[in-house]
């Protein structure tokens, strides 16, 4: 476990983030656009906000020897990777489409019909 001296306190993190100016925010937004590329359901603003939320909540401790752009970039990379894995595991259900559980009885009927036809052919 890391010493508290190795990470910035939440107060230090807040002071650093409060000093960000418009050009800094634009660079961070550009980094977010890079990491969110390929995520259809998410956008760069969501990614940047989620990264800042995790940092400010203390969920992602900030190592004292890492610069803001490097640390925030890696936090965003990690979140984007997590989102990609979630999107792969949970495909979107199209509007109006029935959930898989409701479609299962229809598949059973089709399977039973196929089985009946195969027995009849044999």
């Amino acid at each position: 476990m890391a010493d508290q001296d190795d990470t910035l306190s939440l107060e230090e993190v807040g002071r650093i983030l409060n000093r960000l100016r418009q050009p800094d925010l634009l660079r961070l937004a550009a980094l977010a656009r890079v990491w969110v590329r390929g995520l259809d359901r998410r956008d760069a603003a969501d990614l940047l906000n989620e990264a800042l939320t995790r940092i400010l909540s203390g969920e992602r401790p900030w190592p004292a020897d890492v610069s803001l752009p490097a640390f925030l970039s890696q936090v965003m990379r990690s979140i984007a990777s997590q989102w990609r894995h979630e999107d792969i595991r949970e495909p979107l259900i199209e509007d109006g489409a029935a959930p898989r559980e409701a479609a299962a009885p229809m598949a059973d009927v089709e399977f039973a019909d196929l089985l009946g036809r195969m027995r009849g052919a044999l």
Side-chain angles (χ1 to χ4, degrees):
M1 187 156 190
D3 291 334
Q4 287 193 357
D5 294 338
D6 294 344
T7 60
L8 299 176
S9 69
L10 292 180
E11 293 80 23
E12 292 170 314
V13 170
R15 280 195 299 274
I16 291 170
L17 295 178
N18 280 332
R19 284 187 270 163
L20 292 176
R21 294 178 306 189
Q22 189 66 26
D24 301 321
L25 293 172
L26 291 174
R27 281 190 286 276
L28 293 173
L31 278 172
R33 282 192 300 277
V34 168
W35 290 120
V36 82
R37 207 172 281 147
L39 290 170
D40 298 330
R41 298 175 6 183
R42 315 290 178 130
D43 65 16
D46 289 340
L47 181 59
L48 182 55
N49 287 332
E50 180 65 23
L52 291 171
T53 298
R54 291 183 186 190
I55 292 168
L56 288 169
S57 71
E59 184 178 337
R60 294 297 299 259
W62 187 341
D65 60 342
V66 178
S67 69
L68 168 69
F71 178 63
L72 203 52
S73 177
Q74 291 308 306
V75 172
M76 288 189 288
R77 179 193 59 80
S78 175
I79 294 167
S81 176
Q82 175 189 349
W83 287 351
R84 277 188 187 83
H85 290 293
E86 289 172 1
D87 288 352
I88 289 170
R89 282 182 280 155
E90 299 175 16
L92 285 175
I93 297 175
E94 293 182 26
D95 291 342
R100 280 190 165 180
E101 294 81 19
M106 183 55 108
D108 290 341
V109 169
E110 290 173 357
F111 180 73
D113 181 52
L114 176 64
L115 186 59
R117 285 186 282 141
M118 286 174 55
R119 284 187 179 149
L122 294 174

